Amino acid sequence: MIEVQNLTRVFRTYKKKPGFWGGVKGLFRREFEETRAADNISFSIKEGEFVGFLGPNGAGKTTTLKMLSGLIFPTSGTARVSGYDPTKRENAYRRLFALVLGQKNQLWWDLPAIESFNLLRAIYGLPADQFKATLDELVTLLAVGPKLNVMVRELSLGERMKMELIAALLHRPRVLFLDEPTIGLDVISQKSVRDFLRDYNRRYKTTILLTSHYMADISHLCERVIVIDHGKKIYDGNLDRITGAGDRQRIIKFKPRPSLSDAKGGNPFTAEWKPLHGTVKISDEGEIVLHVPSEHVTGVFQQILSHGAVDDITIQDVPLEDIITELFQRGVAAT
């Protein structure tokens, strides 16, 4: 469904020198800086896949989605979506996909959402019966029926995002680009949006490319992830391979019992204390956090209990956020 080959986008920005004379000098001699927002990115996505597109801020995720949507042109490389070239902006292609930007609205701010939906119906030339059937289904799935006639600016953030999703899906696109669709939403709204997207993908086999900084979105929705950093692809594969890297370590957290800090000699878990294996960090609240290889968890656990009394001791998996962060820091493919 999506074929990307060596896609590159270079932004050229003017570097203005400070002050009045800096502006005057810029009239005669300008200095420019080039930024590679996307740098020879290549990947392919099959029809019906739900793929996570990960990277830190400024990695090039949104730029790539905009190139696939035809909003901006690549500096070099090619992209094909269902055989269409996005740079040509053909009407047939624009009916094929939808783009949802979590930080930008496509709905009219001072009108009820239903008015924007009717406008989109006219733009896409949707038959009345098809439009009504699709709208009723989406409104029911997202449970926003009572809010259709409320002005968009008076909706909560979660309700607005649900309306944005309805607007994007009214014409039944085969490809859906989602850029931070759950940004700023509360936990309940995030779960509601995730459940809807998962069910919609399974029901209609829509190809979805999702960017998100919430790892819960990725772990619940995507089996495959593409990771980019500084415009370069550093990983493309199954999410299990990334989470599997986290299986090699566990996190042990505990607090020394307050009664230890008395005349008996003080807290035995001082900054000099080290576990038999792994690394140690003491938080500002006095909690001790250990990163321990999985095969040594039992030994370190016994060492802690024998060394002194503790409260609230837990063993946790390494969060997916930390695993992804390690990928970014290494800048190389996961093994």
Side-chain angles (χ1 to χ4, degrees):
M1 180 60 74
I2 301 175
E3 289 281 349
V4 173
Q5 291 293 328
N6 301 319
L7 202 62
T8 299
R9 172 66 190 198
V10 179
F11 290 101
R12 191 166 180 254
T13 55
Y14 165 53
K15 293 177 60 177
K16 179 186 177 300
K17 293 183 178 180
F20 172 77
W21 288 111
V24 173
K25 291 178 181 178
L27 295 175
F28 302 96
R29 183 178 179 181
R30 294 198 164 197
E31 295 182 6
F32 293 89
E33 182 179 52
E34 289 190 347
T35 302
R36 287 182 171 266
D39 191 357
N40 288 309
I41 296 176
S42 298
F43 59 83
S44 61
I45 299 176
K46 298 178 181 178
E47 184 173 7
E49 274 195 283
F50 203 135
V51 180
F53 199 39
L54 306 180
N57 290 327
K61 305 183 302 295
T62 302
T63 298
T64 302
L65 293 188
K66 288 182 176 179
M67 285 190 287
L68 292 176
S69 303
L71 294 178
I72 60 177
F73 291 173
T75 304
S76 62
T78 60
R80 288 286 187 275
V81 181
S82 190
Y84 291 97
D85 181 354
T87 63
K88 295 182 178 179
R89 299 179 176 178
E90 300 169 80
N91 284 336
Y93 175 60
R94 287 188 280 188
R95 293 176 180 274
L96 178 77
F97 80 95
L99 171 66
V100 177
L101 300 173
Q103 301 188 55
K104 292 188 178 181
N105 297 317
Q106 62 176 317
L107 302 176
W108 287 86
W109 191 249
D110 292 314
L111 292 177
I114 189 64
E115 298 291 343
S116 293
F117 297 158
N118 286 324
L119 174 61
L120 289 170
R121 174 200 164 190
I123 290 174
Y124 286 105
L126 302 176
D129 55 346
Q130 177 186 331
F131 169 78
K132 185 178 185 307
T134 303
L135 180 61
D136 289 347
E137 178 187 6
L138 295 174
V139 167
T140 301
L141 289 173
L142 288 168
V144 290
K147 301 295 183 178
L148 283 178
N149 292 298
V150 177
M151 283 185 289
V152 171
R153 60 182 170 85
E154 295 180 358
L155 298 174
S156 69
L157 188 58
E159 291 166 346
R160 288 205 300 272
M161 179 48 61
K162 291 178 180 179
M163 297 299 186
E164 293 284 344
L165 287 172
I166 292 175
L169 298 173
L170 280 173
H171 63 291
R172 295 290 187 202
R174 294 173 57 197
V175 179
L176 181 60
F177 301 122
L178 299 174
D179 187 31
E180 302 282 358
T182 59
I183 189 169
L185 303 188
D186 59 73
V187 175
I188 296 176
S189 296
Q190 288 179 21
K191 184 179 184 303
S192 177
V193 170
R194 283 198 300 266
D195 291 344
F196 168 77
L197 291 172
R198 183 182 61 244
D199 294 342
Y200 191 88
N201 169 255
R202 291 174 178 174
R203 182 178 303 188
Y204 295 104
K205 305 300 181 185
T206 304
T207 305
I208 302 178
L209 188 57
L210 165 71
T211 78
S212 179
H213 285 292
Y214 296 116
M215 292 301 106
D217 293 348
I218 303 301
S219 59
H220 282 80
L221 295 173
C222 307
E223 294 183 357
R224 174 189 170 194
V225 293
I226 299 171
V227 184
I228 65 172
D229 189 21
H230 293 91
K232 290 184 175 292
K233 184 179 73 174
I234 62 174
Y235 178 79
D236 182 356
N238 199 294
L239 180 63
D240 289 342
R241 288 185 61 197
I242 292 182
T243 55
D247 291 340
R248 295 195 289 268
Q249 279 199 340
R250 291 292 184 270
I251 297 175
I252 301 177
K253 294 183 178 182
F254 66 92
K255 283 188 177 182
R257 185 164 295 170
S259 59
L260 292 175
S261 300
D262 54 21
K264 295 180 180 179
N267 184 354
F269 295 97
T270 61
E272 290 73 28
W273 178 81
K274 301 294 182 184
L276 293 173
H277 304 277
T279 60
V280 60
K281 178 181 179 182
I282 302 177
S283 70
D284 295 337
E285 294 77 23
E287 183 180 53
I288 297 178
V289 181
L290 308 179
H291 285 252
V292 181
S294 298
E295 63 271 21
H296 297 301
V297 167
T298 301
V300 173
F301 196 86
Q302 292 173 345
Q303 177 197 7
I304 294 169
L305 296 180
S306 63
H307 192 72
V310 300
D311 290 326
D312 302 324
I313 187 167
T314 60
I315 300 176
Q316 303 173 358
D317 292 332
V318 178
L320 183 56
E321 292 94 333
D322 293 349
I323 302 171
I324 297 295
T325 299
E326 184 181 350
L327 272 182
F328 296 153
Q329 292 172 346
R330 291 186 321 193
V332 296
T335 59

PDB file of all heavy atoms in Angstrom, residues 269-294:
ATOM      1  N   PHE A 269      21.875   1.651  53.256  1.00  0.00           N
ATOM      2  CA  PHE A 269      21.844   1.828  51.802  1.00  0.00           C
ATOM      3  C   PHE A 269      22.328   3.237  51.468  1.00  0.00           C
ATOM      4  O   PHE A 269      21.559   4.111  51.044  1.00  0.00           O
ATOM      5  CB  PHE A 269      20.434   1.589  51.269  1.00  0.00           C
ATOM      6  CG  PHE A 269      19.961   0.173  51.446  1.00  0.00           C
ATOM      7  CD1 PHE A 269      19.159  -0.166  52.521  1.00  0.00           C
ATOM      8  CD2 PHE A 269      20.321  -0.819  50.550  1.00  0.00           C
ATOM      9  CE1 PHE A 269      18.717  -1.474  52.698  1.00  0.00           C
ATOM     10  CE2 PHE A 269      19.895  -2.128  50.713  1.00  0.00           C
ATOM     11  CZ  PHE A 269      19.088  -2.460  51.801  1.00  0.00           C
ATOM     12  N   THR A 270      23.604   3.479  51.676  1.00  0.00           N
ATOM     13  CA  THR A 270      24.197   4.779  51.395  1.00  0.00           C
ATOM     14  C   THR A 270      24.586   4.864  49.924  1.00  0.00           C
ATOM     15  O   THR A 270      24.452   3.897  49.163  1.00  0.00           O
ATOM     16  CB  THR A 270      25.439   4.999  52.268  1.00  0.00           C
ATOM     17  OG1 THR A 270      26.396   3.979  51.954  1.00  0.00           O
ATOM     18  CG2 THR A 270      25.081   4.918  53.750  1.00  0.00           C
ATOM     19  N   ALA A 271      25.117   6.015  49.551  1.00  0.00           N
ATOM     20  CA  ALA A 271      25.538   6.209  48.162  1.00  0.00           C
ATOM     21  C   ALA A 271      26.675   5.264  47.784  1.00  0.00           C
ATOM     22  O   ALA A 271      26.887   4.964  46.606  1.00  0.00           O
ATOM     23  CB  ALA A 271      25.971   7.659  47.957  1.00  0.00           C
ATOM     24  N   GLU A 272      27.392   4.750  48.799  1.00  0.00           N
ATOM     25  CA  GLU A 272      28.498   3.843  48.517  1.00  0.00           C
ATOM     26  C   GLU A 272      28.030   2.405  48.306  1.00  0.00           C
ATOM     27  O   GLU A 272      28.797   1.559  47.833  1.00  0.00           O
ATOM     28  CB  GLU A 272      29.525   3.883  49.663  1.00  0.00           C
ATOM     29  CG  GLU A 272      30.323   5.189  49.757  1.00  0.00           C
ATOM     30  CD  GLU A 272      29.487   6.349  50.289  1.00  0.00           C
ATOM     31  OE1 GLU A 272      28.539   6.076  51.061  1.00  0.00           O
ATOM     32  OE2 GLU A 272      29.778   7.495  49.915  1.00  0.00           O
ATOM     33  N   TRP A 273      26.794   2.111  48.707  1.00  0.00           N
ATOM     34  CA  TRP A 273      26.308   0.730  48.567  1.00  0.00           C
ATOM     35  C   TRP A 273      26.105   0.380  47.100  1.00  0.00           C
ATOM     36  O   TRP A 273      25.574   1.171  46.324  1.00  0.00           O
ATOM     37  CB  TRP A 273      24.986   0.569  49.321  1.00  0.00           C
ATOM     38  CG  TRP A 273      24.403  -0.819  49.182  1.00  0.00           C
ATOM     39  CD1 TRP A 273      24.753  -1.921  49.893  1.00  0.00           C
ATOM     40  CD2 TRP A 273      23.389  -1.237  48.264  1.00  0.00           C
ATOM     41  NE1 TRP A 273      24.032  -3.012  49.496  1.00  0.00           N
ATOM     42  CE2 TRP A 273      23.181  -2.628  48.479  1.00  0.00           C
ATOM     43  CE3 TRP A 273      22.648  -0.602  47.279  1.00  0.00           C
ATOM     44  CZ2 TRP A 273      22.255  -3.362  47.749  1.00  0.00           C
ATOM     45  CZ3 TRP A 273      21.736  -1.324  46.550  1.00  0.00           C
ATOM     46  CH2 TRP A 273      21.535  -2.694  46.781  1.00  0.00           C
ATOM     47  N   LYS A 274      26.542  -0.799  46.723  1.00  0.00           N
ATOM     48  CA  LYS A 274      26.410  -1.254  45.343  1.00  0.00           C
ATOM     49  C   LYS A 274      25.776  -2.637  45.316  1.00  0.00           C
ATOM     50  O   LYS A 274      26.083  -3.483  46.173  1.00  0.00           O
ATOM     51  CB  LYS A 274      27.783  -1.319  44.652  1.00  0.00           C
ATOM     52  CG  LYS A 274      28.526   0.002  44.597  1.00  0.00           C
ATOM     53  CD  LYS A 274      27.810   1.019  43.726  1.00  0.00           C
ATOM     54  CE  LYS A 274      28.607   2.322  43.647  1.00  0.00           C
ATOM     55  NZ  LYS A 274      27.870   3.365  42.874  1.00  0.00           N
ATOM     56  N   PRO A 275      24.907  -2.889  44.335  1.00  0.00           N
ATOM     57  CA  PRO A 275      24.370  -4.245  44.192  1.00  0.00           C
ATOM     58  C   PRO A 275      25.419  -5.172  43.604  1.00  0.00           C
ATOM     59  O   PRO A 275      26.427  -4.726  43.036  1.00  0.00           O
ATOM     60  CB  PRO A 275      23.200  -4.055  43.234  1.00  0.00           C
ATOM     61  CG  PRO A 275      23.592  -2.871  42.400  1.00  0.00           C
ATOM     62  CD  PRO A 275      24.373  -1.970  43.325  1.00  0.00           C
ATOM     63  N   LEU A 276      25.197  -6.472  43.746  1.00  0.00           N
ATOM     64  CA  LEU A 276      26.123  -7.455  43.180  1.00  0.00           C
ATOM     65  C   LEU A 276      26.194  -7.339  41.667  1.00  0.00           C
ATOM     66  O   LEU A 276      27.245  -7.581  41.061  1.00  0.00           O
ATOM     67  CB  LEU A 276      25.676  -8.873  43.573  1.00  0.00           C
ATOM     68  CG  LEU A 276      25.769  -9.212  45.067  1.00  0.00           C
ATOM     69  CD1 LEU A 276      25.127 -10.576  45.331  1.00  0.00           C
ATOM     70  CD2 LEU A 276      27.211  -9.204  45.538  1.00  0.00           C
ATOM     71  N   HIS A 277      25.072  -6.969  41.051  1.00  0.00           N
ATOM     72  CA  HIS A 277      25.007  -6.844  39.599  1.00  0.00           C
ATOM     73  C   HIS A 277      24.123  -5.637  39.269  1.00  0.00           C
ATOM     74  O   HIS A 277      23.195  -5.305  39.990  1.00  0.00           O
ATOM     75  CB  HIS A 277      24.426  -8.104  38.953  1.00  0.00           C
ATOM     76  CG  HIS A 277      25.162  -9.356  39.293  1.00  0.00           C
ATOM     77  ND1 HIS A 277      26.307  -9.752  38.631  1.00  0.00           N
ATOM     78  CD2 HIS A 277      24.931 -10.301  40.231  1.00  0.00           C
ATOM     79  CE1 HIS A 277      26.742 -10.885  39.137  1.00  0.00           C
ATOM     80  NE2 HIS A 277      25.928 -11.242  40.111  1.00  0.00           N
ATOM     81  N   GLY A 278      24.404  -4.991  38.158  1.00  0.00           N
ATOM     82  CA  GLY A 278      23.556  -3.900  37.695  1.00  0.00           C
ATOM     83  C   GLY A 278      24.009  -2.542  38.191  1.00  0.00           C
ATOM     84  O   GLY A 278      25.100  -2.377  38.760  1.00  0.00           O
ATOM     85  N   THR A 279      23.161  -1.552  37.951  1.00  0.00           N
ATOM     86  CA  THR A 279      23.458  -0.162  38.309  1.00  0.00           C
ATOM     87  C   THR A 279      22.444   0.329  39.328  1.00  0.00           C
ATOM     88  O   THR A 279      21.319  -0.169  39.421  1.00  0.00           O
ATOM     89  CB  THR A 279      23.424   0.741  37.070  1.00  0.00           C
ATOM     90  OG1 THR A 279      22.114   0.677  36.475  1.00  0.00           O
ATOM     91  CG2 THR A 279      24.463   0.308  36.052  1.00  0.00           C
ATOM     92  N   VAL A 280      22.832   1.353  40.095  1.00  0.00           N
ATOM     93  CA  VAL A 280      21.979   1.878  41.156  1.00  0.00           C
ATOM     94  C   VAL A 280      21.829   3.385  41.011  1.00  0.00           C
ATOM     95  O   VAL A 280      22.752   4.079  40.579  1.00  0.00           O
ATOM     96  CB  VAL A 280      22.559   1.535  42.550  1.00  0.00           C
ATOM     97  CG1 VAL A 280      23.949   2.146  42.722  1.00  0.00           C
ATOM     98  CG2 VAL A 280      21.628   2.014  43.651  1.00  0.00           C
ATOM     99  N   LYS A 281      20.626   3.870  41.357  1.00  0.00           N
ATOM    100  CA  LYS A 281      20.355   5.301  41.359  1.00  0.00           C
ATOM    101  C   LYS A 281      19.446   5.609  42.535  1.00  0.00           C
ATOM    102  O   LYS A 281      18.473   4.893  42.775  1.00  0.00           O
ATOM    103  CB  LYS A 281      19.691   5.739  40.047  1.00  0.00           C
ATOM    104  CG  LYS A 281      19.331   7.222  40.009  1.00  0.00           C
ATOM    105  CD  LYS A 281      18.649   7.587  38.697  1.00  0.00           C
ATOM    106  CE  LYS A 281      18.264   9.055  38.666  1.00  0.00           C
ATOM    107  NZ  LYS A 281      17.544   9.412  37.406  1.00  0.00           N
ATOM    108  N   ILE A 282      19.765   6.675  43.277  1.00  0.00           N
ATOM    109  CA  ILE A 282      18.953   7.097  44.415  1.00  0.00           C
ATOM    110  C   ILE A 282      18.191   8.350  44.030  1.00  0.00           C
ATOM    111  O   ILE A 282      18.793   9.364  43.636  1.00  0.00           O
ATOM    112  CB  ILE A 282      19.825   7.357  45.660  1.00  0.00           C
ATOM    113  CG1 ILE A 282      20.614   6.101  46.024  1.00  0.00           C
ATOM    114  CG2 ILE A 282      18.955   7.804  46.824  1.00  0.00           C
ATOM    115  CD1 ILE A 282      21.552   6.286  47.201  1.00  0.00           C
ATOM    116  N   SER A 283      16.858   8.295  44.104  1.00  0.00           N
ATOM    117  CA  SER A 283      16.032   9.431  43.716  1.00  0.00           C
ATOM    118  C   SER A 283      16.024  10.478  44.824  1.00  0.00           C
ATOM    119  O   SER A 283      16.481  10.238  45.951  1.00  0.00           O
ATOM    120  CB  SER A 283      14.596   8.967  43.430  1.00  0.00           C
ATOM    121  OG  SER A 283      13.959   8.572  44.630  1.00  0.00           O
ATOM    122  N   ASP A 284      15.479  11.661  44.496  1.00  0.00           N
ATOM    123  CA  ASP A 284      15.401  12.742  45.486  1.00  0.00           C
ATOM    124  C   ASP A 284      14.516  12.360  46.664  1.00  0.00           C
ATOM    125  O   ASP A 284      14.685  12.887  47.770  1.00  0.00           O
ATOM    126  CB  ASP A 284      14.865  14.017  44.826  1.00  0.00           C
ATOM    127  CG  ASP A 284      15.809  14.569  43.778  1.00  0.00           C
ATOM    128  OD1 ASP A 284      17.025  14.256  43.874  1.00  0.00           O
ATOM    129  OD2 ASP A 284      15.358  15.285  42.868  1.00  0.00           O
ATOM    130  N   GLU A 285      13.557  11.444  46.439  1.00  0.00           N
ATOM    131  CA  GLU A 285      12.647  11.024  47.502  1.00  0.00           C
ATOM    132  C   GLU A 285      13.236   9.899  48.340  1.00  0.00           C
ATOM    133  O   GLU A 285      12.566   9.375  49.240  1.00  0.00           O
ATOM    134  CB  GLU A 285      11.305  10.571  46.919  1.00  0.00           C
ATOM    135  CG  GLU A 285      10.504  11.672  46.241  1.00  0.00           C
ATOM    136  CD  GLU A 285      11.048  12.013  44.869  1.00  0.00           C
ATOM    137  OE1 GLU A 285      11.734  11.150  44.282  1.00  0.00           O
ATOM    138  OE2 GLU A 285      10.793  13.139  44.393  1.00  0.00           O
ATOM    139  N   GLY A 286      14.464   9.505  48.046  1.00  0.00           N
ATOM    140  CA  GLY A 286      15.091   8.446  48.811  1.00  0.00           C
ATOM    141  C   GLY A 286      14.840   7.054  48.278  1.00  0.00           C
ATOM    142  O   GLY A 286      15.346   6.068  48.838  1.00  0.00           O
ATOM    143  N   GLU A 287      14.086   6.940  47.175  1.00  0.00           N
ATOM    144  CA  GLU A 287      13.840   5.640  46.582  1.00  0.00           C
ATOM    145  C   GLU A 287      15.085   5.191  45.821  1.00  0.00           C
ATOM    146  O   GLU A 287      15.725   5.976  45.127  1.00  0.00           O
ATOM    147  CB  GLU A 287      12.637   5.695  45.646  1.00  0.00           C
ATOM    148  CG  GLU A 287      12.272   4.345  45.044  1.00  0.00           C
ATOM    149  CD  GLU A 287      11.070   4.435  44.120  1.00  0.00           C
ATOM    150  OE1 GLU A 287      11.103   5.285  43.201  1.00  0.00           O
ATOM    151  OE2 GLU A 287      10.122   3.660  44.307  1.00  0.00           O
ATOM    152  N   ILE A 288      15.417   3.919  45.945  1.00  0.00           N
ATOM    153  CA  ILE A 288      16.576   3.361  45.259  1.00  0.00           C
ATOM    154  C   ILE A 288      16.095   2.542  44.065  1.00  0.00           C
ATOM    155  O   ILE A 288      15.220   1.680  44.202  1.00  0.00           O
ATOM    156  CB  ILE A 288      17.412   2.489  46.211  1.00  0.00           C
ATOM    157  CG1 ILE A 288      17.958   3.365  47.357  1.00  0.00           C
ATOM    158  CG2 ILE A 288      18.566   1.823  45.475  1.00  0.00           C
ATOM    159  CD1 ILE A 288      18.761   2.593  48.384  1.00  0.00           C
ATOM    160  N   VAL A 289      16.654   2.834  42.904  1.00  0.00           N
ATOM    161  CA  VAL A 289      16.248   2.183  41.655  1.00  0.00           C
ATOM    162  C   VAL A 289      17.442   1.430  41.093  1.00  0.00           C
ATOM    163  O   VAL A 289      18.507   2.010  40.863  1.00  0.00           O
ATOM    164  CB  VAL A 289      15.733   3.208  40.632  1.00  0.00           C
ATOM    165  CG1 VAL A 289      15.291   2.501  39.355  1.00  0.00           C
ATOM    166  CG2 VAL A 289      14.585   4.027  41.213  1.00  0.00           C
ATOM    167  N   LEU A 290      17.266   0.120  40.884  1.00  0.00           N
ATOM    168  CA  LEU A 290      18.329  -0.720  40.343  1.00  0.00           C
ATOM    169  C   LEU A 290      17.928  -1.252  38.977  1.00  0.00           C
ATOM    170  O   LEU A 290      16.789  -1.690  38.785  1.00  0.00           O
ATOM    171  CB  LEU A 290      18.605  -1.911  41.267  1.00  0.00           C
ATOM    172  CG  LEU A 290      18.862  -1.624  42.753  1.00  0.00           C
ATOM    173  CD1 LEU A 290      19.077  -2.926  43.501  1.00  0.00           C
ATOM    174  CD2 LEU A 290      20.070  -0.717  42.915  1.00  0.00           C
ATOM    175  N   HIS A 291      18.844  -1.221  38.019  1.00  0.00           N
ATOM    176  CA  HIS A 291      18.681  -1.891  36.728  1.00  0.00           C
ATOM    177  C   HIS A 291      19.563  -3.127  36.760  1.00  0.00           C
ATOM    178  O   HIS A 291      20.801  -3.024  36.801  1.00  0.00           O
ATOM    179  CB  HIS A 291      19.080  -0.965  35.577  1.00  0.00           C
ATOM    180  CG  HIS A 291      18.064   0.096  35.288  1.00  0.00           C
ATOM    181  ND1 HIS A 291      17.264   0.083  34.171  1.00  0.00           N
ATOM    182  CD2 HIS A 291      17.698   1.195  35.989  1.00  0.00           C
ATOM    183  CE1 HIS A 291      16.452   1.127  34.187  1.00  0.00           C
ATOM    184  NE2 HIS A 291      16.709   1.819  35.280  1.00  0.00           N
ATOM    185  N   VAL A 292      18.924  -4.291  36.748  1.00  0.00           N
ATOM    186  CA  VAL A 292      19.626  -5.545  37.006  1.00  0.00           C
ATOM    187  C   VAL A 292      19.393  -6.520  35.854  1.00  0.00           C
ATOM    188  O   VAL A 292      18.251  -6.663  35.385  1.00  0.00           O
ATOM    189  CB  VAL A 292      19.119  -6.183  38.324  1.00  0.00           C
ATOM    190  CG1 VAL A 292      19.865  -7.479  38.620  1.00  0.00           C
ATOM    191  CG2 VAL A 292      19.280  -5.198  39.480  1.00  0.00           C
ATOM    192  N   PRO A 293      20.448  -7.208  35.367  1.00  0.00           N
ATOM    193  CA  PRO A 293      20.234  -8.266  34.360  1.00  0.00           C
ATOM    194  C   PRO A 293      19.243  -9.302  34.880  1.00  0.00           C
ATOM    195  O   PRO A 293      19.265  -9.668  36.064  1.00  0.00           O
ATOM    196  CB  PRO A 293      21.640  -8.854  34.177  1.00  0.00           C
ATOM    197  CG  PRO A 293      22.569  -7.761  34.575  1.00  0.00           C
ATOM    198  CD  PRO A 293      21.871  -7.009  35.673  1.00  0.00           C
ATOM    199  N   SER A 294      18.362  -9.768  34.004  1.00  0.00           N
ATOM    200  CA  SER A 294      17.271 -10.646  34.417  1.00  0.00           C
ATOM    201  C   SER A 294      17.753 -11.879  35.170  1.00  0.00           C
ATOM    202  O   SER A 294      17.133 -12.309  36.148  1.00  0.00           O
ATOM    203  CB  SER A 294      16.452 -11.072  33.190  1.00  0.00           C
ATOM    204  OG  SER A 294      15.871  -9.954  32.570  1.00  0.00           O
TER     205      SER A 294
END
